[in-house]
């Protein structure tokens, strides 16, 4: 992979999950919690709407890290840690950004976050990769 | 209500998941992951994998079922109405490929109250049929206002 240096930004990943994405993710992942699928249920427990699965958003963070540093090689990602914060919503663009924190030989550490506008849905993300 | 700590250290019966090509393709498609090693057997073998390989975060598919009995265990005592997923870590080792049978065991590693919220941290350990560790997950669940 091309030279990576501390402070470098990795390419941002932008994706707008459509209205039905939470259904497809539920089917793919097996997580059918109604807060992700049923607007009325979500509102009844105090949420603004049905919300994106946090682990879907984490999946986008993992993709951004692997594509941004290792051409999407699934062997590269060794560790990923995230904190879930604001609720992600369907039909709004998710942007994942990352900055290289450390480079030590083949080992790279990238700090990442995912936002929808001002809403930071994943904070303090950190990926460790071997390139 | 104080956070129950009696179940800290407890583990639950393992779950086993058979990884298959179509499920990997379905997951990769939903995430918009385009590397052909997740779709095409020939591309996967050319890249050195046994078969179509799962994206790393496919770990949720085979590891999460092990958590269900843990989360519903009255000894743990999680209040689902106030539950949020606070944080998540995965550490990967062997890649998961179609045909693998992956066995996952969940354990409660801590339960404590912080600033009026309950923090329950579970660890899952997933191993393949050859006994090699595939992924270790750390799942932090927060119960608001315990």
């Amino acid at each position: 992979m091309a030279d990576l240096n501390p402070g470098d930004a990795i390419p941002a990943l932008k994706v707008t999950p459509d209205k039905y994405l939470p259904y497809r993710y539920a089917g793919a992942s097996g997580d059918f919690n109604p807060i992700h699928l049923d607007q009325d249920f979500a509102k009844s427990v105090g949420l603004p709407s049905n919300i994106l699965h946090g682990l879907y958003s984490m999946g986008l963070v993992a993709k951004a890290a692997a594509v941004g540093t290792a051409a999407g090689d699934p062997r590269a990602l060794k560790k990923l840690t995230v904190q879930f914060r604001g609720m992600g919503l369907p039909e709004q663009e998710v942007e994942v950004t990352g900055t290289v924190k450390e480079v030590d030989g083949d080992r790279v550490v990238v700090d990442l976050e995912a936002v929808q506008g001002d809403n930071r849905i994943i904070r303090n993300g950190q990926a460790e990769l071997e390139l | 209500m104080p956070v129950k700590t009696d179940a800290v250290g407890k583990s639950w019966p393992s779950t086993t998941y058979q990884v298959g090509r179509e499920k990997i393709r379905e997951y990769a498609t939903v995430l918009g992951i385009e590397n052909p090693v997740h779709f095409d057997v020939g591309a996967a073998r050319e890249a050195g994998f046994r078969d179509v390989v799962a994206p790393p975060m496919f770990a949720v598919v085979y590891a999460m079922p092990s958590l269900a009995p843990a989360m519903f265990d009255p000894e743990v005592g999680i209040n689902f109405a106030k539950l949020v997923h606070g944080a998540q870590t995965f550490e990967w080792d062997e890649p998961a490929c179609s045909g693998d049978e992956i066995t996952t065991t969940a354990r409660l590693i801590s339960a404590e109250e912080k600033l009026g919220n309950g923090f329950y941290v579970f660890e899952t350990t997933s191993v393949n049929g050859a006994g090699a560790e595939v992924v270790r997950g750390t799942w932090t669940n927060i119960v608001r206002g315990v």
Side-chain angles (χ1 to χ4, degrees):
Chain A
M1 193 67 193
D3 278 348
L4 289 169
N5 295 295
D8 288 353
I10 66 164
L13 171 67
K14 294 181 183 182
V15 56
T16 303
D18 66 65
K19 184 176 178 179
Y20 301 110
L21 182 283
Y23 301 89
R24 295 198 301 281
Y25 183 82
S29 69
D31 181 351
F32 288 88
N33 186 328
I35 62 173
H36 305 301
L37 305 175
D38 183 336
Q39 221 173 68
D40 293 339
F41 179 85
K43 286 178 177 166
S44 78
V45 295
L47 297 168
S49 160
N50 60 312
I51 60 171
L52 297 177
H53 294 75
L55 291 168
Y56 164 76
S57 303
M58 187 180 181
L60 295 180
V61 170
K63 177 187 170 186
V67 171
T69 63
D73 183 346
R75 279 169 291 217
L77 190 60
K78 296 299 175 193
K79 181 173 180 180
L80 180 62
T81 188
V82 302
Q83 291 181 349
F84 301 107
R85 284 298 180 267
M87 307 291 176
L89 298 173
E91 300 185 278
Q92 291 187 20
E93 185 179 72
V94 178
E95 181 175 14
V96 182
T97 54
T99 307
V100 176
K101 187 184 184 205
E102 293 170 35
V103 179
D104 180 7
D106 293 341
R107 188 176 158 277
V108 176
V109 179
V110 182
D111 288 334
L112 296 131
E113 70 170 16
V115 302
Q116 286 187 314
D118 294 335
N119 182 14
R120 297 163 78 195
I121 61 177
I122 286 185
R123 284 163 59 160
N124 299 326
Q126 191 167 86
E128 294 180 21
L129 302 108
E130 274 175 30
L131 309 185
Chain B
M1 201 169 71
V3 169
K4 290 189 192 181
T5 56
D6 297 352
V8 172
K10 182 172 179 175
S11 46
W12 287 266
S14 302
T15 56
T16 297
Y17 182 92
Q18 171 91 52
V19 181
R21 289 177 188 166
E22 295 300 347
K23 199 70 193 174
I24 291 172
R25 290 172 180 142
E26 180 187 4
Y27 179 87
T29 300
V30 171
L31 270 294
I33 297 171
E34 291 166 348
N35 189 333
V37 296
H38 306 303
F39 296 90
D40 181 70
V41 185
R45 293 206 172 125
E46 202 167 302
F49 298 105
R50 296 180 288 284
D51 205 310
V52 169
V53 61
M57 282 295 295
F58 187 84
V60 303
V61 178
Y62 56 78
M64 211 156 51
S66 72
L67 283 170
M71 302 277 284
F72 286 102
D73 188 332
E75 255 190 78
V76 179
I78 287 178
N79 177 1
F80 275 85
K82 297 195 170 180
L83 178 67
V84 293
H85 194 172
Q88 182 68 41
T89 299
F90 286 113
E91 293 170 81
W92 289 274
D93 198 331
E94 274 296 302
C97 295
S98 177
D100 288 0
E101 222 173 63
I102 298 184
T103 299
T104 301
T105 310
R107 192 166 67 92
L108 180 64
I109 56 173
S110 67
E112 55 184 333
E113 188 180 322
K114 285 186 205 165
L115 303 170
N117 296 316
F119 283 70
Y120 299 85
V121 182
F122 294 91
E123 183 182 76
T124 57
T125 307
S126 301
V127 297
N128 66 19
E133 188 165 304
V134 179
V135 74
R136 186 176 294 261
T138 308
W139 313 65
T140 301
N141 293 295
I142 302 174
V143 175
R144 294 166 290 159
V146 284

